Amino acid sequence: MLRVVRTLFVSIFSIAIAMPPAFAQQAQDPAALPVPKKMDKDTKRKMRKTLKELDSAYRQWLTEDVTYIISPDERNAFLQLDTNEEREQFIEQFWLRRSNNPDLPDNDFKEEHYRRIAYANEHYASGIPGWKTDRGRMYIMWGPADEVESHPTGGTYDRPMEEGGGSTSTYPWETWRWRYLEGIGENVIIEFVDPSGSGEYHMTMDPSEKDALLHVPGAGLSLMESMGMASKTDRFTRSDGTNLPRTMGGTPASMDEFNRLELYSKVNKPPEVKFKDLEAVVTSRIVRDQVHFNWRADYLKVTNDTVLVPVGASPEQPAFLSGQRRNSLRDHQYFRARDHAHRPCGANV
């Protein structure tokens, strides 16, 4: 007779909660992010000390493995945890928040993330590990581009009209294009240049940075410069952060200074975390009474290979006195049931 022992996970959404600060600190869930607030000097000093004293595995996880995808609030929360048990819980929830299907035993997001790190180290290393390079960082954060235009040796370059037209010679460069990136938009284009020829490409907002003849007088002239309608020295008086030649037509939106700055800012921020049903799901294994609730599970045999497990759980509904006011805790609880193999199983709540 097969007996199935089911492990229960409790997902608690705090819908409406009112509690004094003392209780909130006592019931803190390491996986739940604190409300962003300005930290005092003592807190910052403690966080710096914690970072230095972290076990090497946790320090590597924070400063290498997820350094590009962890949000500032998540990083601050992690550095304020006190025990390794809390850090393990935090890491588990970190990956669950980003998984497309938290019910599966294997986390697809986590697997893809470490695959990207391995790919970056294999293809973009240049005296430093590939994950530290600009191309490696963009690949890890946003995945493979839909289109890549690569010129590993540079060479002759015919400028498009929005860059002034004419021909010049370039350093090695690449252009990556994504049709769509969530949180950024459509037709996202990033350019990388290797002016030193060392293989270490860096991301640039200035399309003229790849121009190897930029500082050579009379060479690599634009269309207007070759017609005597503009001077090459005009390139160095621009105020939009580029050294592009003057153009005969208007400037497209993609070349606008503020649009380029906005794009540069967005692609360097950690990708947005999508919570299921637009709510933060906090999933905790029942290992201790973090929220102080009572629970009971009974086991009733239904068939030879099926066991019914009625589960009841309720918070203790503590009451607190704050001055002359009486505060109470109110929450809604949801349950997710999984078997010993971490597969979701039917549950009536």
Side-chain angles (χ1 to χ4, degrees), residues 1 79 94 110 127 147 169 205-206 223 235 265 290 312 314:
M1 179 174 60
L79 289 175
F94 177 90
K110 180 179 178 181
E147 298 175 15
S169 183
M205 293 189 300
D206 181 6
L223 184 60
R235 304 188 195 184
S265 173
Q290 291 180 335
S314 61

Side-chain angles (χ1 to χ4, degrees), residues 11-17 31-33 74 93-94 96-99 102 272-283 331-334 336:
S11 298
I12 302 177
F13 298 78
S14 295
I15 305 298
I17 189 166
L33 301 183
E74 286 176 317
Q93 307 315 316
F94 177 90
L96 281 175
R97 289 190 192 100
R98 290 160 172 81
S99 174
E272 295 180 358
V273 178
K274 289 296 181 182
F275 297 98
K276 187 176 181 181
D277 296 328
L278 302 180
E279 295 190 71
V281 181
V282 180
T283 307
D331 63 16
H332 290 186
Q333 298 177 6
Y334 298 84
R336 176 183 297 151

Side-chain angles (χ1 to χ4, degrees), residues 41-106:
K41 293 182 178 180
D42 290 338
T43 302
K44 292 181 179 179
R45 188 181 302 111
K46 179 183 177 182
M47 290 168 58
R48 288 193 295 268
K49 181 180 178 182
T50 300
L51 180 60
K52 293 180 180 179
E53 296 176 351
L54 277 177
D55 292 346
S56 58
Y58 296 117
R59 186 166 57 250
Q60 177 179 333
W61 183 84
L62 182 64
T63 61
E64 295 184 17
D65 292 4
V66 300
T67 185
Y68 298 143
I69 64 173
I70 191 169
S71 70
D73 289 337
E74 286 176 317
R75 188 178 189 276
N76 292 341
F78 185 80
L79 289 175
Q80 293 181 65
L81 300 178
D82 296 320
T83 67
N84 286 345
E85 181 183 5
E86 291 176 335
R87 295 182 184 105
E88 286 293 337
Q89 268 197 325
F90 182 98
I91 293 173
E92 181 181 356
Q93 307 315 316
F94 177 90
W95 296 120
L96 281 175
R97 289 190 192 100
R98 290 160 172 81
S99 174
N100 290 325
N101 191 344
D103 290 329
L104 295 178
D106 297 324

Side-chain angles (χ1 to χ4, degrees), residues 111-151:
E111 291 181 357
E112 170 63 12
H113 178 72
Y114 281 104
R115 184 201 67 79
R116 293 179 184 180
I117 293 177
Y119 184 93
N121 286 333
E122 181 180 352
H123 291 84
Y124 304 132
S126 57
I128 59 175
W131 70 269
K132 289 187 175 183
T133 66
D134 283 359
R135 289 187 300 172
R137 175 161 50 91
M138 290 296 103
Y139 186 89
I140 292 170
M141 293 174 68
W142 305 109
D146 297 310
E147 298 175 15
V148 175
E149 181 181 354
S150 180
H151 301 268

Side-chain angles (χ1 to χ4, degrees), residues 42-341:
D42 290 338
T43 302
K44 292 181 179 179
R45 188 181 302 111
K46 179 183 177 182
M47 290 168 58
R48 288 193 295 268
K49 181 180 178 182
T50 300
L51 180 60
K52 293 180 180 179
E53 296 176 351
L54 277 177
D55 292 346
S56 58
Y58 296 117
R59 186 166 57 250
Q60 177 179 333
W61 183 84
L62 182 64
T63 61
E64 295 184 17
D65 292 4
V66 300
T67 185
Y68 298 143
I69 64 173
I70 191 169
S71 70
D73 289 337
E74 286 176 317
R75 188 178 189 276
N76 292 341
F78 185 80
L79 289 175
Q80 293 181 65
L81 300 178
D82 296 320
T83 67
N84 286 345
E85 181 183 5
E86 291 176 335
R87 295 182 184 105
E88 286 293 337
Q89 268 197 325
F90 182 98
I91 293 173
E92 181 181 356
Q93 307 315 316
F94 177 90
W95 296 120
L96 281 175
R97 289 190 192 100
R98 290 160 172 81
S99 174
N100 290 325
N101 191 344
D103 290 329
L104 295 178
D106 297 324
N107 190 297
D108 57 338
F109 183 93
K110 180 179 178 181
E111 291 181 357
E112 170 63 12
H113 178 72
Y114 281 104
R115 184 201 67 79
R116 293 179 184 180
I117 293 177
Y119 184 93
N121 286 333
E122 181 180 352
H123 291 84
Y124 304 132
S126 57
I128 59 175
W131 70 269
K132 289 187 175 183
T133 66
D134 283 359
R135 289 187 300 172
R137 175 161 50 91
M138 290 296 103
Y139 186 89
I140 292 170
M141 293 174 68
W142 305 109
D146 297 310
E147 298 175 15
V148 175
E149 181 181 354
S150 180
H151 301 268
T153 59
T156 302
Y157 175 63
D158 295 325
R159 300 187 193 90
M161 292 306 297
E162 60 265 24
E163 294 182 13
S167 296
T168 187
S169 183
T170 66
Y171 300 116
W173 61 284
E174 288 186 1
T175 296
W176 291 11
R177 176 181 176 268
W178 290 266
R179 297 185 187 93
Y180 176 79
L181 289 179
E182 190 165 357
I184 298 180
E186 298 179 348
N187 197 36
V188 178
I189 300 175
I190 299 177
E191 191 166 283
F192 304 91
V193 182
D194 176 20
S196 65
S198 64
E200 185 175 347
Y201 291 72
H202 67 263
M203 187 166 59
T204 179
M205 293 189 300
D206 181 6
S208 69
E209 192 170 347
K210 62 179 174 291
D211 190 345
L213 303 179
L214 178 62
H215 299 282
V216 179
L221 299 179
S222 69
L223 184 60
M224 291 187 65
E225 291 166 354
S226 63
M227 297 170 60
M229 301 173 63
S231 171
K232 192 172 183 179
T233 57
D234 295 339
R235 304 188 195 184
F236 305 101
T237 60
R238 296 181 64 123
S239 60
D240 61 355
T242 74
N243 291 316
L244 287 171
R246 289 174 55 188
T247 60
M248 299 185 69
T251 302
S254 60
M255 298 294 294
D256 179 78
E257 174 186 7
F258 297 104
N259 288 339
R260 287 186 289 109
L261 287 171
E262 182 182 17
L263 173 62
Y264 190 84
S265 173
K266 286 182 177 180
V267 298
N268 281 286
K269 289 182 179 179
E272 295 180 358
V273 178
K274 289 296 181 182
F275 297 98
K276 187 176 181 181
D277 296 328
L278 302 180
E279 295 190 71
V281 181
V282 180
T283 307
S284 300
R285 195 186 301 267
I286 302 177
V287 293
R288 57 181 177 178
D289 290 334
Q290 291 180 335
V291 191
H292 298 287
F293 59 85
N294 299 317
W295 69 281
R296 174 181 174 178
D298 297 310
Y299 300 88
L300 304 176
K301 177 182 176 182
V302 179
T303 66
N304 287 337
D305 58 355
T306 304
V307 176
L308 179 65
V309 186
V311 177
S314 61
E316 295 179 357
Q317 293 290 347
F320 309 93
L321 291 178
S322 176
Q324 299 299 319
R325 298 182 60 187
R326 184 180 181 85
N327 300 305
S328 62
L329 167 66
R330 238 178 0 109
D331 63 16
H332 290 186
Q333 298 177 6
Y334 298 84
F335 298 86
R336 176 183 297 151
R338 299 181 184 174
D339 61 19
H340 63 282

